[in-house]
Amino acid sequence: MQKAVRVCAYLCGMMPDNDPQPWQVERSEYVHQLPWFTVRKDAVRMANGGYIPDYFIFEYPDWINVVAVTTDNRLVLIRQYRHGAKDVHYELCAGVIDRNADGQADDPLETARRELLEETGFGGGQWQLLLTLSANPGTHANRTYCYLATGVELQQAQNLEITEEITVHLVSPERAMQIIEQGEMLQALHVAPLLKHLNLLNRD
């Protein structure tokens, strides 16, 4: 009977009575602080009495990425070198949500519009939030806001920073699925929203 109740709770979108509880932070300190990479160490107590004295959290800024679709239904992808993987792969346009002088985060949608225009030259169209993701909810405090922009058009030349080397590629939905299936897109935070978009296309 209890198992049936728990199954019903999940199907109905309710939280089960035996859901794990948030941990209590007993002590917290920063071990490394830079604008692009901050590490916090927490000592945490679990509801069941478990204790973890050194739990490390990465406090990155929030991120955005964009599944951009042109007026002729091609997807705007980019390619750039990633030093961690030491390789070049297909990606979505993406960026960091900056903070203003008062410490307030910029609007994610406006950040996404700006990044798409600067990295690819494409803009306009209709925009909506497609997904909100975490790179790793166990260690990352930030979120990634994934947008779908349909009907975008080329509006200007790329406006890249000196540290950016990005090429733009317009591909069909069929080619985009092939890119995913063949492992040509490595970034999981980009694969997920692109795959969701392609799956939604197949339902129509």
Side-chain angles (χ1 to χ4, degrees), residues 29-41 56-59:
E29 63 178 300
Y30 285 101
V31 297
H32 186 81
Q33 280 186 289
L34 285 175
W36 304 110
F37 185 66
T38 296
V39 181
R40 189 183 78 235
K41 183 174 73 171
F56 294 92
I57 298 293
F58 302 126
E59 292 189 357

Side-chain angles (χ1 to χ4, degrees), residues 4-165:
V5 171
R6 288 197 296 270
V7 170
C8 178
Y10 280 118
L11 293 177
C12 298
M14 300 165 53
M15 294 299 173
D17 293 337
N18 65 340
D19 219 28
Q21 297 300 305
W23 297 348
Q24 179 183 351
V25 179
E26 296 190 347
R27 186 177 63 258
S28 184
E29 63 178 300
Y30 285 101
V31 297
H32 186 81
Q33 280 186 289
L34 285 175
W36 304 110
F37 185 66
T38 296
V39 181
R40 189 183 78 235
K41 183 174 73 171
D42 290 347
V44 296
R45 179 79 61 183
M46 302 168 67
N48 65 4
Y51 179 71
I52 306 174
D54 299 317
Y55 196 97
F56 294 92
I57 298 293
F58 302 126
E59 292 189 357
Y60 289 100
D62 286 337
W63 301 322
I64 59 89
N65 61 47
V66 184
V67 177
V69 185
T70 64
T71 52
D72 59 353
N73 296 316
R74 290 184 293 173
L75 290 143
V76 183
L77 303 183
I78 64 172
R79 285 177 67 84
Q80 62 180 319
Y81 173 77
R82 291 302 191 181
H83 193 55
K86 291 185 169 57
D87 206 349
V88 178
H89 293 90
Y90 285 100
E91 295 185 355
L92 301 178
C93 165
V96 175
I97 300 176
D98 295 324
R99 292 186 176 274
N100 59 31
D102 296 327
Q104 298 297 313
D106 291 344
D107 179 66
L109 176 57
E110 291 307 310
T111 300
R113 290 180 182 273
R114 183 184 68 246
E115 289 291 337
L116 182 67
L117 191 63
E118 291 177 352
E119 289 191 359
T120 72
F122 282 82
Q126 295 76 48
W127 291 68
Q128 66 182 78
L129 185 65
L130 184 62
L131 280 175
T132 302
L133 299 172
S134 168
N136 184 343
T139 58
H140 287 54
N142 67 330
R143 298 285 194 276
T144 296
Y145 299 95
C146 311
Y147 288 93
L148 173 63
T150 56
V152 301
E153 297 180 289
L154 186 63
Q155 295 185 340
Q156 65 175 47
Q158 288 175 286
N159 183 19
L160 302 178
E161 299 177 6
I162 190 62
T163 56
E164 294 179 314
E165 293 180 298

